Amino acid sequence: MTGLPVTVGIIEDHPVVVDGVTTWINADPGQRAVVVGSGADVDEVLAGPAGAADVLLLDLHLGETVVVDRVAELCTAGRRVVVYSGMDDPDTILAVLEAGASAFLSKHEAGGHCVDTIVAVATDRPYVTPSVAGALLSEAPHLSAQERTALLLWFQSMSKASVARRMGLSEATVRQYIDRARVKYAKLGRPAPTKTALLARAIEDGLIRADEIREYRSHAAE
């Protein structure tokens, strides 16, 4: 950071939104950012003072055009892009992040997130907004209660036969539950071919807590 405020270009076709974001930025107690240009057309904004802005705040829906494809182009050109959009479904959020956007900010989120996100992006620091956190969590597979229980007992070092006895099921059913979890991860593009990998995924996604493994270890010999 140079100590100077972060310069921001806003690409947005609704003047009321531009005014709102500008008000949030101007009201920031630290005066950490300043809007240097805005407009409803990507190329026109880049041709003006905002062409050299530290951060571009980009709406995905400009007029009748959805400009998701411009995200990769802008990012490849070395621009830091914060996508600011009401199109906040997980697929769209993950797509723009995959395209290189530094952050995604939903128009449903509070103004404080807007300024914090812009400043974080300008200094290449991560900032996970609530919408992004939700999108990332949506990548976790849904496990039924039985599937989760089978996984938990198996992770506690119980054999599949022991898990089956504990749950009052056949061993084949337990195998099916575990295989289903693997298939669900594979469908999400996050394969977990080994027991260790599957455990890591489950803990990473909050499906299993690490302390649960320790809590029930005493049953492992059953």
Side-chain angles (χ1 to χ4, degrees), residues 72-107:
E73 173 192 329
L74 293 169
C75 297
T76 301
R79 300 183 184 279
R80 297 184 179 94
V81 176
V82 174
V83 172
Y84 184 51
S85 175
M87 298 170 60
D88 55 5
D89 59 280
D91 288 345
T92 299
I93 293 173
L94 294 173
V96 298
L97 293 178
E98 182 69 21
S102 299
F104 181 96
L105 190 65
S106 170
K107 288 185 175 178

PDB file of all heavy atoms in Angstrom, residues 72-107:
ATOM      1  N   ALA A  72     -12.907 -12.876 -17.715  1.00  0.00           N
ATOM      2  CA  ALA A  72     -11.617 -13.500 -18.014  1.00  0.00           C
ATOM      3  C   ALA A  72     -10.724 -12.566 -18.820  1.00  0.00           C
ATOM      4  O   ALA A  72      -9.513 -12.482 -18.582  1.00  0.00           O
ATOM      5  CB  ALA A  72     -11.834 -14.813 -18.770  1.00  0.00           C
ATOM      6  N   GLU A  73     -11.325 -11.864 -19.767  1.00  0.00           N
ATOM      7  CA  GLU A  73     -10.563 -10.928 -20.613  1.00  0.00           C
ATOM      8  C   GLU A  73      -9.922  -9.828 -19.771  1.00  0.00           C
ATOM      9  O   GLU A  73      -8.740  -9.519 -19.918  1.00  0.00           O
ATOM     10  CB  GLU A  73     -11.516 -10.316 -21.643  1.00  0.00           C
ATOM     11  CG  GLU A  73     -10.913  -9.218 -22.478  1.00  0.00           C
ATOM     12  CD  GLU A  73     -11.983  -8.462 -23.262  1.00  0.00           C
ATOM     13  OE1 GLU A  73     -12.996  -9.082 -23.634  1.00  0.00           O
ATOM     14  OE2 GLU A  73     -11.807  -7.251 -23.464  1.00  0.00           O
ATOM     15  N   LEU A  74     -10.711  -9.259 -18.866  1.00  0.00           N
ATOM     16  CA  LEU A  74     -10.190  -8.184 -18.020  1.00  0.00           C
ATOM     17  C   LEU A  74      -9.099  -8.690 -17.081  1.00  0.00           C
ATOM     18  O   LEU A  74      -8.079  -8.030 -16.873  1.00  0.00           O
ATOM     19  CB  LEU A  74     -11.340  -7.559 -17.210  1.00  0.00           C
ATOM     20  CG  LEU A  74     -12.378  -6.793 -18.030  1.00  0.00           C
ATOM     21  CD1 LEU A  74     -13.594  -6.459 -17.159  1.00  0.00           C
ATOM     22  CD2 LEU A  74     -11.775  -5.512 -18.589  1.00  0.00           C
ATOM     23  N   CYS A  75      -9.341  -9.862 -16.513  1.00  0.00           N
ATOM     24  CA  CYS A  75      -8.370 -10.412 -15.557  1.00  0.00           C
ATOM     25  C   CYS A  75      -7.084 -10.822 -16.246  1.00  0.00           C
ATOM     26  O   CYS A  75      -5.981 -10.618 -15.714  1.00  0.00           O
ATOM     27  CB  CYS A  75      -8.983 -11.595 -14.806  1.00  0.00           C
ATOM     28  SG  CYS A  75     -10.405 -11.127 -13.792  1.00  0.00           S
ATOM     29  N   THR A  76      -7.204 -11.384 -17.446  1.00  0.00           N
ATOM     30  CA  THR A  76      -6.013 -11.760 -18.210  1.00  0.00           C
ATOM     31  C   THR A  76      -5.174 -10.537 -18.554  1.00  0.00           C
ATOM     32  O   THR A  76      -3.943 -10.608 -18.634  1.00  0.00           O
ATOM     33  CB  THR A  76      -6.430 -12.496 -19.499  1.00  0.00           C
ATOM     34  OG1 THR A  76      -7.172 -13.660 -19.149  1.00  0.00           O
ATOM     35  CG2 THR A  76      -5.212 -12.898 -20.321  1.00  0.00           C
ATOM     36  N   ALA A  77      -5.854  -9.408 -18.713  1.00  0.00           N
ATOM     37  CA  ALA A  77      -5.145  -8.151 -19.015  1.00  0.00           C
ATOM     38  C   ALA A  77      -4.501  -7.548 -17.771  1.00  0.00           C
ATOM     39  O   ALA A  77      -3.900  -6.470 -17.836  1.00  0.00           O
ATOM     40  CB  ALA A  77      -6.110  -7.159 -19.640  1.00  0.00           C
ATOM     41  N   GLY A  78      -4.638  -8.239 -16.644  1.00  0.00           N
ATOM     42  CA  GLY A  78      -3.969  -7.786 -15.423  1.00  0.00           C
ATOM     43  C   GLY A  78      -4.800  -6.892 -14.532  1.00  0.00           C
ATOM     44  O   GLY A  78      -4.276  -6.311 -13.579  1.00  0.00           O
ATOM     45  N   ARG A  79      -6.087  -6.800 -14.812  1.00  0.00           N
ATOM     46  CA  ARG A  79      -6.931  -5.926 -13.991  1.00  0.00           C
ATOM     47  C   ARG A  79      -7.498  -6.707 -12.804  1.00  0.00           C
ATOM     48  O   ARG A  79      -7.823  -7.885 -12.918  1.00  0.00           O
ATOM     49  CB  ARG A  79      -8.066  -5.346 -14.835  1.00  0.00           C
ATOM     50  CG  ARG A  79      -7.566  -4.529 -16.007  1.00  0.00           C
ATOM     51  CD  ARG A  79      -8.698  -3.900 -16.786  1.00  0.00           C
ATOM     52  NE  ARG A  79      -8.208  -3.189 -17.953  1.00  0.00           N
ATOM     53  CZ  ARG A  79      -7.708  -1.966 -17.923  1.00  0.00           C
ATOM     54  NH1 ARG A  79      -7.635  -1.306 -16.778  1.00  0.00           N
ATOM     55  NH2 ARG A  79      -7.271  -1.378 -19.023  1.00  0.00           N
ATOM     56  N   ARG A  80      -7.607  -6.022 -11.686  1.00  0.00           N
ATOM     57  CA  ARG A  80      -8.241  -6.605 -10.505  1.00  0.00           C
ATOM     58  C   ARG A  80      -9.738  -6.320 -10.604  1.00  0.00           C
ATOM     59  O   ARG A  80     -10.153  -5.153 -10.629  1.00  0.00           O
ATOM     60  CB  ARG A  80      -7.672  -6.010  -9.226  1.00  0.00           C
ATOM     61  CG  ARG A  80      -6.187  -6.281  -8.997  1.00  0.00           C
ATOM     62  CD  ARG A  80      -5.795  -5.715  -7.641  1.00  0.00           C
ATOM     63  NE  ARG A  80      -4.393  -5.938  -7.312  1.00  0.00           N
ATOM     64  CZ  ARG A  80      -3.416  -5.060  -7.557  1.00  0.00           C
ATOM     65  NH1 ARG A  80      -3.705  -3.927  -8.154  1.00  0.00           N
ATOM     66  NH2 ARG A  80      -2.175  -5.327  -7.210  1.00  0.00           N
ATOM     67  N   VAL A  81     -10.519  -7.372 -10.664  1.00  0.00           N
ATOM     68  CA  VAL A  81     -11.958  -7.222 -10.882  1.00  0.00           C
ATOM     69  C   VAL A  81     -12.736  -7.744  -9.688  1.00  0.00           C
ATOM     70  O   VAL A  81     -12.540  -8.875  -9.242  1.00  0.00           O
ATOM     71  CB  VAL A  81     -12.392  -7.990 -12.153  1.00  0.00           C
ATOM     72  CG1 VAL A  81     -13.923  -7.918 -12.328  1.00  0.00           C
ATOM     73  CG2 VAL A  81     -11.681  -7.441 -13.381  1.00  0.00           C
ATOM     74  N   VAL A  82     -13.608  -6.886  -9.181  1.00  0.00           N
ATOM     75  CA  VAL A  82     -14.595  -7.323  -8.198  1.00  0.00           C
ATOM     76  C   VAL A  82     -15.929  -7.363  -8.925  1.00  0.00           C
ATOM     77  O   VAL A  82     -16.409  -6.343  -9.417  1.00  0.00           O
ATOM     78  CB  VAL A  82     -14.693  -6.348  -7.004  1.00  0.00           C
ATOM     79  CG1 VAL A  82     -15.837  -6.765  -6.075  1.00  0.00           C
ATOM     80  CG2 VAL A  82     -13.378  -6.309  -6.247  1.00  0.00           C
ATOM     81  N   VAL A  83     -16.499  -8.539  -9.050  1.00  0.00           N
ATOM     82  CA  VAL A  83     -17.812  -8.650  -9.685  1.00  0.00           C
ATOM     83  C   VAL A  83     -18.870  -8.276  -8.651  1.00  0.00           C
ATOM     84  O   VAL A  83     -18.897  -8.826  -7.545  1.00  0.00           O
ATOM     85  CB  VAL A  83     -18.046 -10.082 -10.217  1.00  0.00           C
ATOM     86  CG1 VAL A  83     -19.482 -10.231 -10.702  1.00  0.00           C
ATOM     87  CG2 VAL A  83     -17.073 -10.388 -11.343  1.00  0.00           C
ATOM     88  N   TYR A  84     -19.696  -7.317  -9.026  1.00  0.00           N
ATOM     89  CA  TYR A  84     -20.746  -6.823  -8.123  1.00  0.00           C
ATOM     90  C   TYR A  84     -22.074  -7.033  -8.830  1.00  0.00           C
ATOM     91  O   TYR A  84     -22.400  -6.334  -9.793  1.00  0.00           O
ATOM     92  CB  TYR A  84     -20.512  -5.339  -7.843  1.00  0.00           C
ATOM     93  CG  TYR A  84     -21.469  -4.728  -6.855  1.00  0.00           C
ATOM     94  CD1 TYR A  84     -21.682  -5.333  -5.619  1.00  0.00           C
ATOM     95  CD2 TYR A  84     -22.143  -3.542  -7.137  1.00  0.00           C
ATOM     96  CE1 TYR A  84     -22.544  -4.765  -4.700  1.00  0.00           C
ATOM     97  CE2 TYR A  84     -22.999  -2.966  -6.222  1.00  0.00           C
ATOM     98  CZ  TYR A  84     -23.202  -3.587  -5.003  1.00  0.00           C
ATOM     99  OH  TYR A  84     -24.072  -3.031  -4.097  1.00  0.00           O
ATOM    100  N   SER A  85     -22.812  -8.037  -8.401  1.00  0.00           N
ATOM    101  CA  SER A  85     -23.969  -8.445  -9.194  1.00  0.00           C
ATOM    102  C   SER A  85     -25.086  -9.013  -8.331  1.00  0.00           C
ATOM    103  O   SER A  85     -24.851  -9.523  -7.233  1.00  0.00           O
ATOM    104  CB  SER A  85     -23.524  -9.508 -10.211  1.00  0.00           C
ATOM    105  OG  SER A  85     -24.622 -10.013 -10.933  1.00  0.00           O
ATOM    106  N   GLY A  86     -26.288  -8.908  -8.868  1.00  0.00           N
ATOM    107  CA  GLY A  86     -27.435  -9.566  -8.241  1.00  0.00           C
ATOM    108  C   GLY A  86     -27.565 -11.000  -8.719  1.00  0.00           C
ATOM    109  O   GLY A  86     -28.365 -11.770  -8.191  1.00  0.00           O
ATOM    110  N   MET A  87     -26.767 -11.363  -9.721  1.00  0.00           N
ATOM    111  CA  MET A  87     -26.757 -12.754 -10.200  1.00  0.00           C
ATOM    112  C   MET A  87     -25.852 -13.550  -9.264  1.00  0.00           C
ATOM    113  O   MET A  87     -24.698 -13.847  -9.580  1.00  0.00           O
ATOM    114  CB  MET A  87     -26.228 -12.810 -11.638  1.00  0.00           C
ATOM    115  CG  MET A  87     -27.090 -12.049 -12.642  1.00  0.00           C
ATOM    116  SD  MET A  87     -26.285 -11.887 -14.267  1.00  0.00           S
ATOM    117  CE  MET A  87     -26.056 -13.601 -14.721  1.00  0.00           C
ATOM    118  N   ASP A  88     -26.372 -13.868  -8.083  1.00  0.00           N
ATOM    119  CA  ASP A  88     -25.517 -14.426  -7.043  1.00  0.00           C
ATOM    120  C   ASP A  88     -25.790 -15.896  -6.759  1.00  0.00           C
ATOM    121  O   ASP A  88     -25.599 -16.357  -5.633  1.00  0.00           O
ATOM    122  CB  ASP A  88     -25.639 -13.597  -5.763  1.00  0.00           C
ATOM    123  CG  ASP A  88     -27.071 -13.464  -5.298  1.00  0.00           C
ATOM    124  OD1 ASP A  88     -27.952 -14.089  -5.915  1.00  0.00           O
ATOM    125  OD2 ASP A  88     -27.309 -12.743  -4.309  1.00  0.00           O
ATOM    126  N   ASP A  89     -26.220 -16.627  -7.788  1.00  0.00           N
ATOM    127  CA  ASP A  89     -26.350 -18.078  -7.618  1.00  0.00           C
ATOM    128  C   ASP A  89     -24.963 -18.707  -7.577  1.00  0.00           C
ATOM    129  O   ASP A  89     -24.007 -18.162  -8.147  1.00  0.00           O
ATOM    130  CB  ASP A  89     -27.164 -18.675  -8.767  1.00  0.00           C
ATOM    131  CG  ASP A  89     -26.513 -18.397 -10.110  1.00  0.00           C
ATOM    132  OD1 ASP A  89     -26.678 -17.285 -10.636  1.00  0.00           O
ATOM    133  OD2 ASP A  89     -25.806 -19.287 -10.625  1.00  0.00           O
ATOM    134  N   PRO A  90     -24.800 -19.827  -6.876  1.00  0.00           N
ATOM    135  CA  PRO A  90     -23.466 -20.428  -6.731  1.00  0.00           C
ATOM    136  C   PRO A  90     -22.759 -20.693  -8.051  1.00  0.00           C
ATOM    137  O   PRO A  90     -21.543 -20.483  -8.154  1.00  0.00           O
ATOM    138  CB  PRO A  90     -23.760 -21.737  -5.982  1.00  0.00           C
ATOM    139  CG  PRO A  90     -24.992 -21.449  -5.187  1.00  0.00           C
ATOM    140  CD  PRO A  90     -25.817 -20.552  -6.076  1.00  0.00           C
ATOM    141  N   ASP A  91     -23.485 -21.134  -9.079  1.00  0.00           N
ATOM    142  CA  ASP A  91     -22.831 -21.432 -10.360  1.00  0.00           C
ATOM    143  C   ASP A  91     -22.181 -20.189 -10.960  1.00  0.00           C
ATOM    144  O   ASP A  91     -21.051 -20.239 -11.474  1.00  0.00           O
ATOM    145  CB  ASP A  91     -23.840 -22.016 -11.355  1.00  0.00           C
ATOM    146  CG  ASP A  91     -24.237 -23.445 -10.998  1.00  0.00           C
ATOM    147  OD1 ASP A  91     -23.537 -24.067 -10.174  1.00  0.00           O
ATOM    148  OD2 ASP A  91     -25.256 -23.928 -11.532  1.00  0.00           O
ATOM    149  N   THR A  92     -22.908 -19.068 -10.903  1.00  0.00           N
ATOM    150  CA  THR A  92     -22.363 -17.824 -11.457  1.00  0.00           C
ATOM    151  C   THR A  92     -21.165 -17.355 -10.642  1.00  0.00           C
ATOM    152  O   THR A  92     -20.133 -16.946 -11.196  1.00  0.00           O
ATOM    153  CB  THR A  92     -23.440 -16.727 -11.471  1.00  0.00           C
ATOM    154  OG1 THR A  92     -24.524 -17.146 -12.301  1.00  0.00           O
ATOM    155  CG2 THR A  92     -22.874 -15.416 -12.012  1.00  0.00           C
ATOM    156  N   ILE A  93     -21.287 -17.407  -9.315  1.00  0.00           N
ATOM    157  CA  ILE A  93     -20.181 -16.970  -8.458  1.00  0.00           C
ATOM    158  C   ILE A  93     -18.923 -17.789  -8.743  1.00  0.00           C
ATOM    159  O   ILE A  93     -17.827 -17.250  -8.937  1.00  0.00           O
ATOM    160  CB  ILE A  93     -20.566 -17.094  -6.974  1.00  0.00           C
ATOM    161  CG1 ILE A  93     -21.685 -16.094  -6.641  1.00  0.00           C
ATOM    162  CG2 ILE A  93     -19.357 -16.849  -6.068  1.00  0.00           C
ATOM    163  CD1 ILE A  93     -22.257 -16.257  -5.250  1.00  0.00           C
ATOM    164  N   LEU A  94     -19.072 -19.098  -8.781  1.00  0.00           N
ATOM    165  CA  LEU A  94     -17.911 -19.956  -9.014  1.00  0.00           C
ATOM    166  C   LEU A  94     -17.351 -19.750 -10.418  1.00  0.00           C
ATOM    167  O   LEU A  94     -16.138 -19.815 -10.626  1.00  0.00           O
ATOM    168  CB  LEU A  94     -18.296 -21.420  -8.789  1.00  0.00           C
ATOM    169  CG  LEU A  94     -18.670 -21.766  -7.330  1.00  0.00           C
ATOM    170  CD1 LEU A  94     -19.210 -23.189  -7.242  1.00  0.00           C
ATOM    171  CD2 LEU A  94     -17.479 -21.600  -6.402  1.00  0.00           C
ATOM    172  N   ALA A  95     -18.227 -19.470 -11.384  1.00  0.00           N
ATOM    173  CA  ALA A  95     -17.762 -19.264 -12.768  1.00  0.00           C
ATOM    174  C   ALA A  95     -16.904 -18.008 -12.876  1.00  0.00           C
ATOM    175  O   ALA A  95     -15.858 -18.020 -13.534  1.00  0.00           O
ATOM    176  CB  ALA A  95     -18.962 -19.162 -13.707  1.00  0.00           C
ATOM    177  N   VAL A  96     -17.316 -16.926 -12.248  1.00  0.00           N
ATOM    178  CA  VAL A  96     -16.529 -15.693 -12.369  1.00  0.00           C
ATOM    179  C   VAL A  96     -15.223 -15.788 -11.564  1.00  0.00           C
ATOM    180  O   VAL A  96     -14.198 -15.219 -11.964  1.00  0.00           O
ATOM    181  CB  VAL A  96     -17.335 -14.443 -11.954  1.00  0.00           C
ATOM    182  CG1 VAL A  96     -18.530 -14.263 -12.865  1.00  0.00           C
ATOM    183  CG2 VAL A  96     -17.753 -14.479 -10.501  1.00  0.00           C
ATOM    184  N   LEU A  97     -15.268 -16.503 -10.452  1.00  0.00           N
ATOM    185  CA  LEU A  97     -14.022 -16.698  -9.702  1.00  0.00           C
ATOM    186  C   LEU A  97     -13.055 -17.554 -10.507  1.00  0.00           C
ATOM    187  O   LEU A  97     -11.849 -17.312 -10.525  1.00  0.00           O
ATOM    188  CB  LEU A  97     -14.315 -17.343  -8.346  1.00  0.00           C
ATOM    189  CG  LEU A  97     -15.103 -16.485  -7.348  1.00  0.00           C
ATOM    190  CD1 LEU A  97     -15.362 -17.267  -6.066  1.00  0.00           C
ATOM    191  CD2 LEU A  97     -14.381 -15.185  -7.031  1.00  0.00           C
ATOM    192  N   GLU A  98     -13.601 -18.573 -11.175  1.00  0.00           N
ATOM    193  CA  GLU A  98     -12.773 -19.420 -12.031  1.00  0.00           C
ATOM    194  C   GLU A  98     -12.199 -18.616 -13.187  1.00  0.00           C
ATOM    195  O   GLU A  98     -11.074 -18.878 -13.654  1.00  0.00           O
ATOM    196  CB  GLU A  98     -13.624 -20.584 -12.572  1.00  0.00           C
ATOM    197  CG  GLU A  98     -12.865 -21.565 -13.452  1.00  0.00           C
ATOM    198  CD  GLU A  98     -11.844 -22.404 -12.677  1.00  0.00           C
ATOM    199  OE1 GLU A  98     -11.994 -22.514 -11.452  1.00  0.00           O
ATOM    200  OE2 GLU A  98     -10.900 -22.909 -13.306  1.00  0.00           O
ATOM    201  N   ALA A  99     -12.951 -17.616 -13.648  1.00  0.00           N
ATOM    202  CA  ALA A  99     -12.484 -16.772 -14.756  1.00  0.00           C
ATOM    203  C   ALA A  99     -11.401 -15.799 -14.319  1.00  0.00           C
ATOM    204  O   ALA A  99     -10.804 -15.126 -15.162  1.00  0.00           O
ATOM    205  CB  ALA A  99     -13.663 -16.018 -15.357  1.00  0.00           C
ATOM    206  N   GLY A 100     -11.180 -15.702 -13.022  1.00  0.00           N
ATOM    207  CA  GLY A 100     -10.088 -14.853 -12.552  1.00  0.00           C
ATOM    208  C   GLY A 100     -10.483 -13.664 -11.707  1.00  0.00           C
ATOM    209  O   GLY A 100      -9.612 -12.908 -11.263  1.00  0.00           O
ATOM    210  N   ALA A 101     -11.803 -13.468 -11.497  1.00  0.00           N
ATOM    211  CA  ALA A 101     -12.230 -12.343 -10.667  1.00  0.00           C
ATOM    212  C   ALA A 101     -11.588 -12.443  -9.286  1.00  0.00           C
ATOM    213  O   ALA A 101     -11.473 -13.526  -8.714  1.00  0.00           O
ATOM    214  CB  ALA A 101     -13.750 -12.324 -10.539  1.00  0.00           C
ATOM    215  N   SER A 102     -11.168 -11.307  -8.762  1.00  0.00           N
ATOM    216  CA  SER A 102     -10.520 -11.308  -7.443  1.00  0.00           C
ATOM    217  C   SER A 102     -11.533 -11.541  -6.329  1.00  0.00           C
ATOM    218  O   SER A 102     -11.169 -12.046  -5.261  1.00  0.00           O
ATOM    219  CB  SER A 102      -9.804  -9.974  -7.221  1.00  0.00           C
ATOM    220  OG  SER A 102      -8.800  -9.777  -8.186  1.00  0.00           O
ATOM    221  N   ALA A 103     -12.767 -11.149  -6.564  1.00  0.00           N
ATOM    222  CA  ALA A 103     -13.794 -11.323  -5.530  1.00  0.00           C
ATOM    223  C   ALA A 103     -15.175 -11.203  -6.173  1.00  0.00           C
ATOM    224  O   ALA A 103     -15.330 -10.646  -7.264  1.00  0.00           O
ATOM    225  CB  ALA A 103     -13.640 -10.283  -4.439  1.00  0.00           C
ATOM    226  N   PHE A 104     -16.147 -11.740  -5.485  1.00  0.00           N
ATOM    227  CA  PHE A 104     -17.543 -11.573  -5.911  1.00  0.00           C
ATOM    228  C   PHE A 104     -18.295 -10.948  -4.751  1.00  0.00           C
ATOM    229  O   PHE A 104     -18.178 -11.387  -3.598  1.00  0.00           O
ATOM    230  CB  PHE A 104     -18.182 -12.916  -6.256  1.00  0.00           C
ATOM    231  CG  PHE A 104     -19.618 -12.781  -6.725  1.00  0.00           C
ATOM    232  CD1 PHE A 104     -19.919 -12.730  -8.076  1.00  0.00           C
ATOM    233  CD2 PHE A 104     -20.660 -12.661  -5.817  1.00  0.00           C
ATOM    234  CE1 PHE A 104     -21.225 -12.571  -8.517  1.00  0.00           C
ATOM    235  CE2 PHE A 104     -21.975 -12.508  -6.246  1.00  0.00           C
ATOM    236  CZ  PHE A 104     -22.253 -12.460  -7.599  1.00  0.00           C
ATOM    237  N   LEU A 105     -19.091  -9.932  -5.087  1.00  0.00           N
ATOM    238  CA  LEU A 105     -19.870  -9.238  -4.075  1.00  0.00           C
ATOM    239  C   LEU A 105     -21.325  -9.208  -4.542  1.00  0.00           C
ATOM    240  O   LEU A 105     -21.619  -8.714  -5.634  1.00  0.00           O
ATOM    241  CB  LEU A 105     -19.334  -7.815  -3.917  1.00  0.00           C
ATOM    242  CG  LEU A 105     -19.827  -6.964  -2.768  1.00  0.00           C
ATOM    243  CD1 LEU A 105     -19.391  -7.576  -1.430  1.00  0.00           C
ATOM    244  CD2 LEU A 105     -19.262  -5.552  -2.902  1.00  0.00           C
ATOM    245  N   SER A 106     -22.197  -9.742  -3.726  1.00  0.00           N
ATOM    246  CA  SER A 106     -23.614  -9.729  -4.092  1.00  0.00           C
ATOM    247  C   SER A 106     -24.224  -8.368  -3.793  1.00  0.00           C
ATOM    248  O   SER A 106     -23.877  -7.724  -2.793  1.00  0.00           O
ATOM    249  CB  SER A 106     -24.365 -10.810  -3.313  1.00  0.00           C
ATOM    250  OG  SER A 106     -25.765 -10.659  -3.479  1.00  0.00           O
ATOM    251  N   LYS A 107     -25.152  -7.940  -4.642  1.00  0.00           N
ATOM    252  CA  LYS A 107     -25.842  -6.670  -4.389  1.00  0.00           C
ATOM    253  C   LYS A 107     -26.769  -6.774  -3.186  1.00  0.00           C
ATOM    254  O   LYS A 107     -27.338  -5.762  -2.763  1.00  0.00           O
ATOM    255  CB  LYS A 107     -26.618  -6.239  -5.635  1.00  0.00           C
ATOM    256  CG  LYS A 107     -25.707  -5.758  -6.756  1.00  0.00           C
ATOM    257  CD  LYS A 107     -26.492  -5.214  -7.933  1.00  0.00           C
ATOM    258  CE  LYS A 107     -25.530  -4.640  -8.975  1.00  0.00           C
ATOM    259  NZ  LYS A 107     -26.231  -4.136 -10.175  1.00  0.00           N
TER     260      LYS A 107
END
